[in-house]
């Protein structure tokens, strides 16, 4: 299953990149995010590993993140594994005008096990909706935070 979504953020790529790379900002824009625990490697660098915990309807879901690529202000890619699926997330940042960024996110997900593969189609719509909502929250958080800092 592959999902893509893009959004324009009224800040340059350097601001968007820095915001996205700061683990303390994750709860501001990732739905149901609880915490991240660094496991190994240099945080944010290719090969680094972290545990991400989410609360899904009262149940804690754990995913292990491995950073695949990280090109400052341009691209961040990571793989995630869980009991139910494997997923790669590609984040691409491009300048858009003088002080704006086009952020494109591509998510590729593969369900594990017969049951998950059977109901996987149901997750596509939910995953698309969540990605759009999370990117809107990211845009709002970045634009509001930078307005506050600029005052």
């Amino acid at each position: 299953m592959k999902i893509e979504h893009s959004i324009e953020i009224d800040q340059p790529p350097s601001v968007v990149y820095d915001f996205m790379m700061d683990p303390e900002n994750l709860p501001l824009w990732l739905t149901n995010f609880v915490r991240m625990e660094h496991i190994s490697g240099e945080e944010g660098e290719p090969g680094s590993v972290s545990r991400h915990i989410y609360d899904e309807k009262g149940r804690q879901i754990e995913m292990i993140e491995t950073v695949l690529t990280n090109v400052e202000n341009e691209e961040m890619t990571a793989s995630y594994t869980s009991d139910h699926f494997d997923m790669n997330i590609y984040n691409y940042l491009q300048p858009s005008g003088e002080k704006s960024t086009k952020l494109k996110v591509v998510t590729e997900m593969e369900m594990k096990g017969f049951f998950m593969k059977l109901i996987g189609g149901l997750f596509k719509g939910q995953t698309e909706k969540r990605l759009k909502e999370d990117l809107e929250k990211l845009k709002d958080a970045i634009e509001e935070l930078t307005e506050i800092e600029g005052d």
Side-chain angles (χ1 to χ4, degrees):
M1 165 173 52
K2 183 175 180 178
I3 298 166
E4 295 183 30
H5 189 66
S6 297
I7 194 163
E8 292 279 335
I9 300 174
D10 291 332
Q11 287 296 328
S14 60
V15 172
V16 175
Y17 175 87
D18 289 345
F19 189 91
M20 291 177 71
M21 291 304 296
D22 185 344
E24 291 189 25
N25 292 332
L26 295 176
L28 299 176
W29 62 281
L30 289 177
T31 301
N32 302 333
F33 181 82
V34 175
R35 71 181 177 279
M36 180 178 116
E37 302 165 358
H38 182 70
I39 296 172
S40 67
E42 188 173 334
E43 266 188 78
E45 292 299 315
S48 66
V49 178
S50 300
R51 178 178 292 110
H52 289 234
I53 309 293
Y54 292 83
D55 181 0
E56 295 290 334
K57 300 179 182 176
R59 216 176 90 212
Q60 286 208 338
I61 304 295
E62 177 180 307
M63 292 189 290
I64 301 299
E65 173 196 63
T66 303
V67 175
L68 302 175
T69 65
N70 187 347
V71 179
E72 187 173 0
N73 303 332
E74 294 179 20
E75 177 184 330
M76 301 159 290
T77 304
S79 69
Y80 298 84
T81 60
S82 75
D83 292 339
H84 304 293
F85 59 85
D86 290 329
M87 176 171 60
N88 286 341
I89 298 179
Y90 306 87
N91 299 280
Y92 303 104
L93 295 99
Q94 293 181 313
S96 176
E98 202 170 296
K99 295 184 179 179
S100 187
T101 301
K102 178 182 178 183
L103 171 63
K104 178 181 176 181
V105 178
V106 179
T107 301
E108 296 175 343
M109 185 181 293
E110 185 176 326
M111 299 299 181
K112 294 180 179 178
F114 177 75
F115 180 71
M116 291 304 291
K117 288 179 182 182
L118 188 65
I119 65 169
L122 300 175
F123 285 111
K124 185 169 185 176
Q126 292 174 336
T127 304
E128 286 175 327
K129 181 180 177 192
R130 180 174 284 183
L131 176 59
K132 288 178 184 178
E133 290 172 353
D134 286 353
L135 291 182
E136 285 293 333
K137 289 193 295 187
L138 174 65
K139 173 185 170 65
D140 291 346
I142 290 173
E143 292 176 357
E144 289 175 19
L145 179 65
T146 53
E147 285 177 11
I148 292 168
E149 289 180 353
D151 291 341

